[in-house]
Amino acid sequence: MSDPLMLLKKPSYPINNSLLDYLERFDRISKVPIFYDDLLRFSGSINVYDKHDQDTLWVRVYYTEFERSEIDLTLMKIYSLLHSDGNLGIIKFLNVDSIDYCTFGNSKPFRIKVRNILNDNYTHFYIKRADASRVYGLELEHILSPDKINFLVYKDTLIEEHIMGIAGDVFIKTLLADCTETEKSQIAKEFVKFNERCMIRLLGDMRSYNYVIIPIHDFDQVVYRIRAIDFDQQCFEGNFKVYRPQFFKENYPMVKLVKDKLQHSSIEQYKDEERAVLAKRIHSAENRIKRLLQIMGSDVISTDEHLNQLKLELYSYTNDLNFKKAKSMGNVMSAAFEFITRNFKNTNLFNTGF
């Protein structure tokens, strides 16, 4: 990776048996056999361009007639699992319009477009290689974020639902300047909360193209939410800054917005609000999180160098010995959750430097 904060490409980590048992307990295992490698056997491809004729770096793939019919049926079954609990009666109303393959990034996903032939409504989902750290990230997102997320695992294959919204980099480039001053203040508030949430749950690499901005029309205003869409960098990097979106140059316009629109006291208030919400979510899902973190604590999802760097940086920020004693990234995550539930009322902790 070219970013100075992230010098090494993250490897893919296998899903161990304990994590598979957890996923089965919470209905995350696909009942339909699907393999990422099967989709790689495409016969050819063409480039996909956006409405401005810019290359998206995705390619539309095609298969032999026999393979395509079999693949389409499997993908429609997967869609029914994601969206209607496996009701196969809806398949006759579905069509797989396209299968696109991403040529950049770590996960190189396939993007599946499924259309309802009765009304032309369509949605997407993604097929990727299963990676343990990504699965931990997805599960933590489901439990701790304001939004739920559907995903399924089948052996070494991961199926993720599409997260709707405007890509952060697109929003910053094309829409931010036209927002009202009130809307800009509200976006700044949301970025502070998003920054805090990513930092506490150690979700890294939230550059502007790894999150979406979602406009929500209220009766007299438009409010904005920020939501992560990439969970590849859950608890991998050793540099603490990687887990704080404010430090990526791609997010500078958002950081500037925070500095221009919010007073320091407001920033502290919003950070404190987010910590309190996270502490309550951790408490309300205590047994599920405890089970997940026990598995994570025994798993290997990073390098020893990254682990040692991160736990010492967190110790220097918090003076909490639990970070220094951590033996794994899962232990670091446990220490972070214990820290936030114990101290969320103290607005001076985890100072993010805005």
Side-chain angles (χ1 to χ4, degrees), residues 15 20 23 28-30 32-39 78 126-131 135 151-160:
I15 297 176
L20 283 173
L23 294 171
R28 298 295 199 187
I29 299 296
S30 172
V32 176
I34 179 76
F35 292 98
Y36 176 90
D37 285 349
D38 288 342
L39 296 181
I78 292 292
Y126 299 87
I127 307 288
K128 306 175 180 180
R129 291 193 190 278
D131 170 57
V135 170
F151 69 93
L152 295 167
V153 171
Y154 183 80
K155 295 186 179 179
D156 61 351
T157 298
L158 174 65
I159 303 119
E160 288 182 33

Side-chain angles (χ1 to χ4, degrees), residues 138-268:
L138 285 164
E139 186 66 9
L140 288 169
E141 173 76 4
H142 179 79
I143 298 170
L144 297 177
S145 83
D147 305 284
K148 302 304 180 185
I149 187 167
N150 289 325
F151 69 93
L152 295 167
V153 171
Y154 183 80
K155 295 186 179 179
D156 61 351
T157 298
L158 174 65
I159 303 119
E160 288 182 33
E161 72 173 355
H162 174 65
I163 298 174
M164 292 185 289
I166 305 167
D169 56 337
V170 174
F171 184 91
I172 289 170
K173 183 178 179 180
T174 63
L175 298 173
L176 182 58
D178 294 330
C179 291
T180 67
E181 295 307 307
T182 300
E183 289 170 346
K184 289 178 180 178
S185 294
Q186 199 268 335
I187 293 168
K189 167 188 171 182
E190 286 303 310
F191 187 76
V192 169
K193 291 192 169 190
F194 178 68
N195 190 79
E196 196 76 4
R197 188 161 65 246
C198 292
M199 178 188 63
I200 291 169
R201 54 159 292 195
L202 298 179
L203 178 60
D205 194 20
M206 282 299 110
R207 285 175 276 192
S208 55
Y209 49 79
N210 285 333
Y211 59 82
V212 292
I213 298 182
I214 306 168
I216 301 171
H217 291 261
D218 201 357
F219 68 95
D220 64 349
Q221 63 177 335
V222 179
V223 296
Y224 296 86
R225 297 289 181 264
I226 303 177
R227 186 176 179 187
I229 60 171
D230 192 323
F231 305 94
D232 188 56
Q233 290 286 340
Q234 177 67 52
C235 295
F236 173 71
E237 291 289 338
N239 187 344
F240 187 32
K241 288 183 178 180
V242 170
Y243 303 103
R244 291 179 283 179
Q246 68 184 88
F247 285 108
F248 288 101
K249 63 181 184 298
E250 293 87 350
N251 292 330
Y252 175 74
M254 302 294 271
V255 174
K256 186 175 186 302
L257 204 62
V258 171
K259 291 182 176 179
D260 290 346
K261 306 301 293 186
L262 301 180
Q263 296 180 3
H264 180 74
S265 59
S266 295
I267 294 173
E268 292 301 314

Side-chain angles (χ1 to χ4, degrees), residues 326-340:
K327 304 294 186 184
S328 68
M329 282 297 192
N331 293 160
V332 173
M333 193 79 267
S334 296
F337 286 173
E338 289 174 13
F339 181 83
I340 202 66

